[in-house]
């Protein structure tokens, strides 16, 4: 059988349930789908490829998934450092009202895609204004973007659309998109329980259910946010979402730093997932999310970078390292292990998005989102344990090749579907 792409000769970290590693392995790809994974000697006898990647001396693994970000915030990178979350929001909301427009968002997203592809990030859940401009910019490069309409009831939204018009707009948007396809699904974004009233949250939740959409929301990012919501509504953010019937397998919480035991139990009971953003949480002084307790309760936890203005990079591999390290500060070196941290950036991230059957591991039948990580650098040798190497030693610059939906977006560290120099020049002009 002739296939589109064969990645061969490297050690394949499948991230399947058994954690299978195929030494001198191969991944066969046809029409964007993985059709076989196994030893190179076996796979090459079954398939002839029109395009190939020689991964000898490399590690092949699923593409990294960013489960919470604001991509176009690359435009503001470095402009809101060393402040609290509330101080950060005051600055950023003002700048967004002044600076954001579809053209600017598209330019900022192009730079974000270049950064992400170089870092081995093959898809992201992007909550931001002018999502259609972001989606078009990503589509032109072949990169996988999960996005949709955002709700935030503020006096001067960047798009000029008041809340009362947003439901009909979002309904039209979701209807035009159709259902889930090729590793994506409909998505709605409710900014938070402090920028949307309970009745608005219920309306947005109903709309998400109508279209089978994932609903994504910031919740319990720091103690001040929790106290603000509690004073206003008599309930903490997660308590409020639970009382409104919004917790569930189609809700993904960003951050979830300030949680009580009963709230963790509620997330577990309802099947609600969490996007853990350790770098952003530390930099803004929000605290450390109780990830070991979430995992012990059976809650799905993915990894996110947040926006480049709060974490300064879109480096998911950096988030893997931080997640594997920061939770050991309590004295338990096993709190979040290397394998768990890598899984959070791959298969658990896919599950958090409701796309675990399509993304997050290298298995036949899944979409071909994968990366090749060069193991030749001194800081990666010797390779005793690939999970450990990824979590504690590897850097985003070690990523050599990036493939999304079977299409090679970066080969030998050269981007093939995006003019990186033009993207940099365009954003520098805006900045």
């Amino acid at each position: 059988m002739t296939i589109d792409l064969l990645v061969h000769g490297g050690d394949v970290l499948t991230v399947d349930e058994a954690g299978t590693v195929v030494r001198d392995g191969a991944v066969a790809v046809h029409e964007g789908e993985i059709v076989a994974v196994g030893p190179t000697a076996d796979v090459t006898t079954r398939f002839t490829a029109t395009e190939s990647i020689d991964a000898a001396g490399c590690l092949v693994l699923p593409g990294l998934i960013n489960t919470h970000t604001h991509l176009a915030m690359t435009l503001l990178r470095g402009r809101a450092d060393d402040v609290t979350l509330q101080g950060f929001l005051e600055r950023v909301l003002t700048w967004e009202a002044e600076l954001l427009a579809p053209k600017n968002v598209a330019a900022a997203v192009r730079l974000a895609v270049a950064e992400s592809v170089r870092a081995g990030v093959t898809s992201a859940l992007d909550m931001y204004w002018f999502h259609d401009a972001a989606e078009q910019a990503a589509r032109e490069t072949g990169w996988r973007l999960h996005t949709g309409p955002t709700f935030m009831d503020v006096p001067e939204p960047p798009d000029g659309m008041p809340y009362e018009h947003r439901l009909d707009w979002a309904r039209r948007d979701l209807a035009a998109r159709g259902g889930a396809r090729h590793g994506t699904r409909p998505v709605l974004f409710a900014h938070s329980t402090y920028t949307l009233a309970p009745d608005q949250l219920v309306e947005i939740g109903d709309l998400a259910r109508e279209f089978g959409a994932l609903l994504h929301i910031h919740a319990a990012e720091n103690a001040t946010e929790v106290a603000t919501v509690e004073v206003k509504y008599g309930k903490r953010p997660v308590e409020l979402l639970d009382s409104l019937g919004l917790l569930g397998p189609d809700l993904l919480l960003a951050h979830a730093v300030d949680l009580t035991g009963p709230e963790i139990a509620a997330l577990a009971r309802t099947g609600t997932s969490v996007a853990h953003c350790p770098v952003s949480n530390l930099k803004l002084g929000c605290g450390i999310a109780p990830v070991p307790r979430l995992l012990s309760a059976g809650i799905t936890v993915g990894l996110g970078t947040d926006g480049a203005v709060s974490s300064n990079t879109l480096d998911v591999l950096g988030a893997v390292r931080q997640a594997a390290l920061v939770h050991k500060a309590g004295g338990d070196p096993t709190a979040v292990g290397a394998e768990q941290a890598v899984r959070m950036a791959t298969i658990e991230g896919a599950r958090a998005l409701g796309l675990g059957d399509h993304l997050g591991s290298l298995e036949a039948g899944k979409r071909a989102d994968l990366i090749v990580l060069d193991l030749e650098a001194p800081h990666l040798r010797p390779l005793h344990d690939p999970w450990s190497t990824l979590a504690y030693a590897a850097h985003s610059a070690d990523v050599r090749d990036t493939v999304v939906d079977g299409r090679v977006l970066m080969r030998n560290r050269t981007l093939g579907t995006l003019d990186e120099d033009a993207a940099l020049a365009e954003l520098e002009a805006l900045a």
Side-chain angles (χ1 to χ4, degrees):
M1 175 183 174
T2 300
I3 58 172
D4 299 327
L5 176 67
L6 181 69
V7 182
H8 62 91
D11 290 345
V12 179
L13 184 65
T14 64
V15 195
D16 62 6
E17 287 301 311
T20 304
V21 180
V22 184
R23 306 294 180 184
D24 187 9
V27 181
V29 178
H30 190 60
E31 295 182 349
E33 179 180 301
I34 298 171
V35 294
V37 178
T40 295
D42 294 343
V43 175
T44 53
T45 61
R46 299 166 53 198
F47 301 100
T48 301
T50 57
E51 184 177 12
S52 66
I53 293 176
D54 184 350
C58 298
L59 187 63
V60 182
L61 65 147
L64 307 176
I65 299 172
N66 193 340
T67 59
H68 177 69
T69 190
H70 316 286
L71 292 175
M73 279 187 173
T74 52
L75 181 62
L76 300 173
R77 193 190 323 253
R79 289 194 64 180
D81 292 336
D82 306 323
V83 295
T84 65
L85 172 63
Q86 282 63 41
F88 166 86
L89 290 170
E90 288 173 8
R91 296 185 187 191
V92 169
L93 292 177
T94 299
W95 292 331
E96 287 176 338
E98 296 172 353
L99 298 174
L100 294 188
K103 180 181 178 182
N104 296 355
V105 166
V109 167
R110 278 189 281 272
L111 188 69
V113 171
E115 179 182 351
S116 297
V117 170
R118 285 199 171 280
V121 180
T122 53
S123 67
L125 181 64
D126 180 40
M127 176 194 288
Y128 215 53
W129 305 100
F130 302 111
H131 70 281
D132 48 351
E135 189 169 43
Q136 178 61 30
R139 185 183 301 117
E140 290 169 357
T141 69
W143 195 65
R144 191 183 303 282
L145 182 64
H146 312 281
T147 192
T150 292
F151 291 82
M152 186 177 182
D153 193 7
V154 291
E156 297 182 8
D159 61 5
M161 186 188 300
Y163 175 84
E164 54 267 24
H165 296 159
R166 301 190 83 83
L167 279 172
D168 287 340
W169 161 73
R171 179 173 281 106
R172 291 194 299 272
D173 183 275
L174 291 173
R177 289 169 183 274
R181 63 187 187 281
H182 292 309
T184 62
R185 64 178 297 194
V187 185
L188 279 179
F189 300 93
H191 180 267
S192 63
T193 57
Y194 58 89
T195 60
L196 292 161
D199 61 328
Q200 294 172 330
L201 291 168
V202 170
E203 289 177 329
I204 298 164
D206 288 344
L207 182 61
R209 279 188 283 268
E210 179 182 338
F211 285 90
L214 174 72
L215 180 59
H216 187 39
I217 186 169
H218 296 94
E221 189 168 356
N222 75 353
T224 302
E225 174 210 325
V226 170
T228 299
V229 174
E230 193 167 20
V231 167
K232 194 170 185 179
Y233 300 117
K235 290 181 172 62
R236 295 162 54 90
V238 172
E239 290 177 333
L240 179 61
L241 293 169
D242 194 16
S243 71
L244 298 175
L246 293 176
L247 297 185
D250 291 320
L251 181 69
L252 175 59
L253 304 183
H255 304 297
V257 173
D258 192 317
L259 298 177
T260 64
E263 288 171 335
I264 292 173
L267 298 181
R269 168 176 51 82
T270 57
T272 304
S273 299
V274 168
H276 177 37
C277 303
V279 176
S280 176
N281 293 159
L282 288 172
K283 184 164 173 282
L284 290 170
C286 294
I288 301 172
V291 169
R293 294 171 64 195
L294 296 174
L295 296 174
S296 294
I299 295 166
T300 298
V301 180
L303 283 180
T305 62
D306 213 344
V309 70
S310 63
S311 67
N312 296 70
T313 78
L314 303 173
D315 180 6
V316 173
L317 200 53
V320 169
R321 180 178 294 103
Q322 195 64 258
L325 292 175
V326 71
H327 301 288
K328 304 182 194 307
D332 180 5
T334 68
V336 175
E339 180 174 346
Q340 181 64 61
V342 173
R343 286 184 174 278
M344 287 161 61
T346 52
I347 186 60
E348 297 304 320
R351 288 169 177 158
L353 300 180
L355 294 169
D357 290 338
H358 305 277
L359 305 173
S361 63
L362 301 183
E363 299 178 85
K366 290 197 172 186
R367 305 310 298 175
D369 290 9
L370 60 89
I371 61 176
V372 178
L373 191 134
D374 190 349
L375 295 172
E376 290 302 314
H379 64 275
L380 299 177
R381 291 301 185 97
L383 179 68
H384 292 301
D385 178 355
W387 304 101
S388 172
T389 295
L390 286 168
Y392 300 125
H395 300 292
S396 58
D398 297 318
V399 176
R400 195 193 72 180
D401 310 294
T402 300
V403 177
V404 175
D405 220 40
R407 184 180 181 186
V408 182
L409 304 193
M410 181 172 73
R411 182 188 283 271
N412 293 327
R413 296 186 174 87
T414 299
L415 302 184
T417 64
L418 188 151
D419 187 333
E420 189 172 22
D421 290 339
L424 283 165
E426 185 177 22
L427 202 72
E428 285 294 336
L430 288 174

